[in-house]
Every structure is written in structure tokens, then in C-alpha cells.
Amino acid sequence: YALVGYYWQKKNLTYRIVRTTPQLSPYVVHDAIRRAFNVWSDVTPLTFTEKFHGEADIMIDFLWGFHGDGNPFDGPGNTLAHAFFPGPRRGGDTHFDEEEKWTMTKEGANLFQVATHEFGHALGLGHSSEHNTIMGPFYRYRDPLQLTEDDIRGIQQLYGAPEERRPKQPLTPVATQKPNFQPNHPEHVPNTPERPPQRPPVHTPDRRPHTPNHPATPPDTCFPSIDAVAVIRSELFVFKDRHFYRYHDKGLYPGYPAMTSRFWRSLPRGTHVDAVYERYDGKIVFFKDAQYWVFDGNYLESSYPRPIRDYGLHVQSVDAAFVWGHNGKTYFFKGNRYWRYDDIEKKMDRGYPKNIDRWEGVPNNLDGIMQWTDGLTYFFKGTKYWRFNDITMRVEEGYPRSAPHDWFGCRKVLGTPNDRD
Amino acid sequence: AASILNVTNADLSKGVDYLMKFGYLKQDDRKMRTGEELREAIMTMQRFGGLDETGQLDADTLQLMQTPRCGVADIIGTAETTRRKR
């Protein structure tokens, strides 16, 4: 690793995304940036807080060509991004070349992965000559992205190892944290393995091998309907009755389903949730009847639950909630109406509720809505789901399709008279 | 230098530009640069790229120079310092 001689003399840093790229939804950009900072905060005592106004320690922008810092971008290919080493004014600032093809996949330039590298510079690391490190100068898509020993030694040379603190980001199964966990306890899910669920890897959900101790009979995921769906830390979470199902890109994590109220304690026991969404700041918000709960990871924030009228929602419950990446606003659906809420300004937008028919092709009385990591919006009701095109503002052709088959790992195509056979 | 490194003048020129841009070579007068300095710069760049350190602007090395990368210099204190002086 290489240290450049500059580092931040404080541990709590702020960042601000000045502009996002139109190639990705704002939600996806904010999520990618937040996760990239998490990679470094996981191995140091540093914290990163997003600001939405004014100056921040690390100003992040998408720019092209000559952009006033003496280090012009060169168009598509070659140079993808650069960052300034820690210091006042421009120090820490991170620029992405708008003319690259930014993605969240292995095609083009993966924003999360490039950002992780650039933030290494913004924290004081130079390029490592050690091959395969995150801080190597050449872009290479990694699946999954993980810091190497060289990267960790470098950053910890500057800031030290993480202090003992309440975990903020990881979503850890409660069972792994409870030494007195009793797998045969009646509250435990019937089809969970005989061993406590193992801790899923943080931020590396997509290459976890199935454990040999996993029971041979997989859980039934052919849901006739779901209660709520959410994308949390870029993973799919499905809520059904008292349980939730957590998916990586190859299917359900071992050890799931798990009981929702055992993972997010303080939620009402033995019941379902109405809606769940991940807020812009990474907090997870649950709705049940006329109340809502805000969690930091799986820790309840103080003073919750609160009434949903805080949101300006004068209804007894909501059907679904999600953040629409198209504009970063939070939407609530109930029956044939929907509301638009500004989570940053903390106020309901004027003129709402409106009729759901503005979302052309989307049915009433939805079960759940989520924006997937592909930047597209998906609506769920019963066994069906609809993919929505944010540009044409209508459901895409070929939808609805079978949600259990396409999303939940059910091998049957539901919707036929004998579909439960 | 092109004949020593067995490359075309165009490839040499591109290579030198790249090596200067990312800090492997000082941004001073090209005519004052020795072949040995150039070879050492290429070897250092090859090390960063995980290539065999041949010191030659071979096909793999030229290909590496086309690879998408970070815009921050690899060697801090040469090109950067020179730029500041100017």
C-alpha cells in the first residue's frame, strides 16, 4: 500500500453528492456511494454522514472534460474518476467522468466499485503496486468486492482499527447475537435449520455457498401473496405473515425465513407488517397499521413507534411504500390512492393523495413496491408483479408475470386453478 | 529510444505521455531523458499492472495503457511536484 502523507484529523466525515449521473437513478447512486463508504468504515473508526446542502468534507460530482481542477477527463474509457487527497477546500473531493458508462453490474464501470477505490484516495491512500488490491490503479470488476489485507493495512495505518461500537450497517440475524438462542423454541420458524442461522456476509451477498447443514427441504416460497417487499442494502427482503425472506442473487439465504420481530425487535410479535422501505440515510422504516418504526440496522431508534400521521398520512394503514429513484421521493400507496413525501424536507408534497391510475397499468390494493438494483420499479399484488417504465410512465409489455416464480424461488408458475398442488 | 524499445515512434510517444501523466516520468524535457530512465519507468508501471517487468513497451504493456483506470497518478511526487513548480 502507499500512504501519500495526508489524512483526515477527525473521524466523523461528511460527504455530499453534488450531482448524480442521469445514467443511474439518484437512489441507486446514493446507495452505491453510501455502500462504498461503508467498505472503509467497516475497517476503521471512521464514520461518513451524507449532507444534502452546503459544504461537506468530501464533495462528490459527475463531470466531464475540463472541469476546473487541472485534471481533465478524457471521454469514454481510460480515466474513469479521480479524487483529491485529504485536506481543506478541494481535499477529499471525488469526481467521476460523466462520459463513462456507469452501471451497477459488471458491464461498463461499476459505480460502487470505482467509488470504493476513489474514496481510498480521499482518505489518504495512494495507488498500491500490490496486484489485485482495491487500491491498484487499474479498474477490474470484482465479484464480490472485498478489501485485501494490503488495503486494510494501509487504511488502518492511517486511522486504526474500528472501535467497539454499535454496528450501524450490518443486518445480522438476531439468532447469531443471542447466546441463549433455542432453535426448538416454539416461536422459532418451523422450517429453519436445526442450527442457528449463520451470519450472512456483510456487503458480499452474492457468492455465499450453501452450507451443508442446511435442511434438504427448502422453505415454500410459492406465496399466494406477500405483505411487503423491500430492497435493503441492495438485497431483496420479502415479508409474509410473521416471517421475512432474505435473498441474494442465487436465491434465499440459508437460515431464512426468520421471524421479523426477532430480527427487528420491538416490532409487534406474531403479526405481519404492512410496508417497509429503506430511507435515503440507510434507516429502515416499517409500517404496521397506523404506526411506523425506524431502525438503524436492527436497532430501533429512540421514540419509536410513532403515528403515521407524522408523514401526513391520515389513513389507518398503508399498502406499500418505496423510494422512487426517478425523483428520490418516498411514495405511499393505499387502495386506489398514493401520496408523495419528501423525506429530506420531512413534508408531504402538495396535491396528494392522487389516484393510482397515474401509474398506468398498476393495479389498486397493492401488496408491495420496490425499486430493484437495476433501477426499475416493480409492483407486487397477489402472485403477480408488474415492471414499470419510469420514462413512459406505464407498465412494460409482457407484464404482469409470476412473482413467486421470477423473484421468490418458487419453481411453479402460479395463477392456474391448481397452482398450489 | 523507439529503436531500443523496438516500438514505433507513435507507440513510444503515447507510452511516454502515459508514463508522464501517471507520475512514472518527470515532466521535463524529453531530450534529457535516458533510455534507462524510460526502461525503469516502464518496469514500475508493469509492476503496478501485474505484468512481467520487462522494461519493454510490448503488446501487453501497451494494452495495459488502454485499460480503464483511476486518474490519480501512481507515483506521487514526480509529475505532481513538477506541475506545482510550473
Side-chain angles (χ1 to χ4, degrees):
Chain A
Y1 60 87
L3 308 181
V4 295
Y6 301 97
Y7 64 95
W8 296 99
Q9 297 187 8
K10 55 184 178 180
K11 291 180 178 171
N12 301 317
L13 298 169
T14 58
Y15 69 94
R16 181 179 153 207
I17 302 171
V18 180
R19 267 174 296 212
T20 58
T21 170
Q23 301 177 55
L24 295 168
S25 79
Y27 177 81
V28 170
V29 172
H30 282 257
D31 184 61
I33 296 297
R34 181 166 49 79
R35 288 192 296 121
F37 278 119
N38 286 347
V39 170
W40 296 108
S41 62
D42 282 348
V43 296
T44 62
L46 297 172
T47 68
F48 301 96
T49 305
E50 182 167 9
K51 287 181 75 177
F52 296 91
H53 306 284
E55 283 293 311
D57 297 315
I58 298 171
M59 300 289 277
I60 297 161
D61 208 348
F62 287 82
L63 301 156
W64 59 91
F66 287 87
H67 52 275
D69 64 1
N71 200 353
F73 283 130
D74 53 6
N78 295 323
T79 302
L80 305 175
H82 57 234
F84 291 85
F85 299 126
R89 295 183 292 277
R90 204 174 263 166
D93 290 359
T94 303
H95 299 160
F96 297 93
D97 186 350
E98 176 57 66
E99 294 188 279
E100 302 301 333
K101 183 187 176 193
W102 294 107
T103 70
M104 288 305 296
T105 66
K106 63 182 176 184
E107 309 301 329
N110 183 293
L111 179 61
F112 162 62
Q113 302 207 358
V114 174
T116 302
H117 172 97
E118 295 305 329
F119 296 155
H121 292 314
L123 297 175
L125 293 178
H127 281 147
S128 171
S129 60
E130 187 75 21
H131 197 43
N132 287 331
T133 58
I134 297 296
M135 289 315 296
F138 299 99
Y139 175 74
R140 188 165 59 84
Y141 178 76
R142 297 151 202 273
D143 186 12
L145 178 138
Q146 282 178 316
L147 294 179
T148 64
E149 279 301 311
D150 182 79
D151 298 309
I152 294 171
R153 270 193 230 113
I155 201 71
Q156 291 189 344
Q157 182 82 10
L158 292 173
Y159 301 102
E163 296 159 359
E164 283 294 318
R165 66 182 177 194
R166 199 180 78 172
K168 186 179 178 187
Q169 295 301 336
L171 294 171
T172 338
V174 167
T176 58
Q177 298 177 330
K178 284 185 67 179
N180 59 346
F181 175 75
Q182 296 173 326
N184 295 323
H185 190 280
E187 269 198 344
H188 193 56
V189 189
N191 51 9
T192 44
E194 289 186 4
R195 284 163 41 139
Q198 295 184 5
R199 180 193 177 106
V202 179
H203 303 307
T204 55
D206 40 1
R207 284 293 175 267
R208 181 183 166 81
H210 284 271
T211 56
N213 291 324
H214 194 56
T217 308
D220 180 11
T221 53
C222 298
F223 313 119
S225 67
I226 57 169
D227 296 327
V229 63
V231 177
I232 301 172
R233 317 289 190 260
S234 301
E235 292 177 9
L236 178 66
F237 284 71
V238 175
F239 297 83
K240 176 65 177 170
D241 299 329
R242 296 181 301 160
H243 304 131
F244 74 99
Y245 300 69
R246 181 178 179 180
Y247 293 86
H248 55 93
D249 67 349
K250 300 286 186 293
L252 193 64
Y253 270 114
Y256 287 84
M259 189 172 286
T260 309
S261 62
R262 287 182 72 101
F263 195 94
W264 287 283
R265 294 190 218 187
S266 311
L267 283 175
R269 286 183 164 209
T271 183
H272 70 281
V273 295
D274 292 331
V276 184
Y277 78 96
E278 184 181 21
R279 209 165 64 180
Y280 68 91
D281 57 1
K283 304 284 170 67
I284 305 159
V285 189
F286 286 82
F287 292 81
K288 164 71 180 160
D289 298 330
Q291 290 184 305
Y292 72 103
W293 290 252
V294 177
F295 287 85
D296 180 359
N298 46 7
Y299 290 86
L300 183 68
E301 297 273 279
S302 61
S303 79
Y304 290 96
R306 297 271 313 158
I308 62 173
R309 63 174 179 271
D310 285 358
Y311 278 87
L313 289 165
H314 300 285
V315 287
Q316 287 305 305
S317 64
V318 294
D319 294 336
F322 84 111
V323 178
W324 195 26
H326 193 60
N327 57 11
K329 302 267 186 169
T330 306
Y331 286 75
F332 298 99
F333 284 70
K334 174 71 176 175
N336 64 350
R337 294 184 300 168
Y338 74 98
W339 290 255
R340 192 175 81 185
Y341 182 79
D342 190 319
D343 244 322
I344 295 168
E345 299 290 331
K346 300 281 176 223
K347 65 178 184 186
M348 188 68 79
D349 283 347
R350 283 170 179 260
Y352 291 88
K354 291 183 176 175
N355 195 287
I356 200 171
D357 59 14
R358 286 171 173 252
W359 301 78
E360 195 175 323
V362 171
N364 296 341
N365 303 310
L366 290 158
D367 293 333
I369 311 169
M370 58 110 171
Q371 181 150 39
W372 185 232
T373 54
D374 58 6
L376 298 171
T377 309
Y378 295 86
F379 294 79
F380 293 80
K381 179 179 179 177
T383 59
K384 297 187 172 68
Y385 77 99
W386 290 256
R387 189 161 84 181
F388 192 79
N389 186 317
D390 293 348
I391 306 301
T392 61
M393 281 300 290
R394 63 166 65 103
V395 167
E396 291 190 348
E397 276 191 32
Y399 291 85
R401 291 173 53 93
S402 166
H405 181 269
D406 290 359
W407 286 98
F408 308 144
C410 169
R411 288 163 185 260
K412 294 169 282 192
V413 178
L414 303 183
T416 59
N418 298 318
D419 60 12
R420 299 299 295 171
D421 292 344
Chain B
S3 59
I4 293 168
L5 294 170
N6 197 24
V7 290
T8 64
N9 280 326
D11 281 344
L12 178 67
S13 179
K14 273 191 282 186
V16 168
D17 285 347
Y18 186 97
L19 294 168
M20 286 198 302
K21 180 176 179 182
F22 293 108
Y24 295 102
L25 285 173
K26 290 180 182 173
Q27 298 201 352
D28 52 13
D29 190 338
R30 293 176 181 223
K31 290 175 185 166
M32 299 289 284
R33 188 170 295 128
T34 66
E36 190 54 33
E37 280 177 324
L38 194 53
R39 207 178 348 255
E40 277 186 20
I42 295 167
M43 287 171 72
T44 310
M45 184 253 181
Q46 288 168 329
R47 188 185 324 141
F48 272 87
L51 299 180
D52 291 339
E53 296 174 35
T54 62
Q56 297 291 315
L57 276 177
D58 50 30
D60 285 346
T61 307
L62 290 168
Q63 178 64 38
L64 184 64
M65 290 177 171
Q66 301 298 316
T67 304
R69 59 161 291 151
C70 173
V72 174
D74 299 335
I75 309 295
I76 307 295
T78 51
E80 294 294 300
T81 310
T82 307
R83 191 175 296 133
R84 231 174 268 131
K85 280 179 183 172
R86 290 167 65 189

